Amino acid sequence: NDHVALVHTDIDRETEDIIADVLGVEVFRQTIAGNALVGSYCKITNQGGLVHPRTTVEDLEELSSLLQVPLVAGTVNRGSDVIGAGMVVNDWSAFCGMDTTSTEISVIEGIYKLGGANSNTIVKDMRASLIDSLT
């Protein structure tokens, strides 16, 4: 997302500072369901996030509070808990593996607020932002 970065717990302080400076975000050392590879076990946007299915409710609430977005535990590609290997997502679109079930897609669309009436608002906001930047 545009405000917070989650990083491996063993990353050195200098690298953490570089990430914060280059991306202009707050950086937090974090694990997801006990896994230090945060980029593999979660996908977070400005709209929401999907995390490893074994993430505890307490961890979900803590992460959601830290990130200021709603989170849900789930899977992709017919039950794979390696979210990062099965999906790419941004604030407007998501692409997932061919084995992803309709239930998983429904969860993905819901948590990232993709499709539906909200998509028209996002497109309008993008268009207005682009026009403002060009004028």
Side-chain angles (χ1 to χ4, degrees):
N1 91 13
D2 294 335
H3 309 287
V4 177
L6 302 179
V7 297
H8 193 285
T9 53
D10 294 337
I11 199 168
D12 62 84
R13 180 72 180 157
E14 182 181 350
T15 304
E16 185 179 334
D17 290 340
I18 291 170
I19 292 169
D21 290 342
V22 170
L23 298 178
V25 296
E26 289 185 78
V27 177
F28 296 98
R29 296 169 191 245
Q30 191 70 39
T31 62
I32 304 293
N35 298 293
L37 301 175
V38 292
S40 296
Y41 293 102
C42 73
K43 285 295 172 196
I44 311 294
T45 70
N46 293 318
Q47 305 299 320
L50 184 67
V51 298
H52 190 285
R54 290 198 179 126
T55 305
T56 65
V57 173
E58 294 81 18
D59 286 348
L60 267 176
E61 290 173 357
E62 177 187 340
L63 278 170
S64 182
S65 174
L66 181 73
L67 299 167
Q68 295 296 303
V69 295
L71 298 176
V72 67
T75 59
V76 294
N77 283 336
R78 203 172 300 275
S80 173
D81 56 9
V82 187
I83 309 299
M87 179 176 66
V88 293
V89 63
N90 63 22
D91 289 341
W92 306 281
S93 180
F95 296 90
C96 48
M98 289 183 57
D99 288 338
T100 304
T101 67
S102 61
T103 302
E104 290 169 332
I105 290 172
S106 178
V107 169
I108 290 165
E109 287 177 337
I111 197 62
Y112 295 114
K113 299 176 177 75
L114 302 172
N118 192 33
S119 65
N120 290 336
T121 304
I122 292 171
V123 169
K124 286 178 186 175
D125 290 346
M126 284 176 29
R127 185 174 294 131
S129 174
L130 180 62
I131 291 170
D132 287 345
S133 68
L134 294 174
T135 57

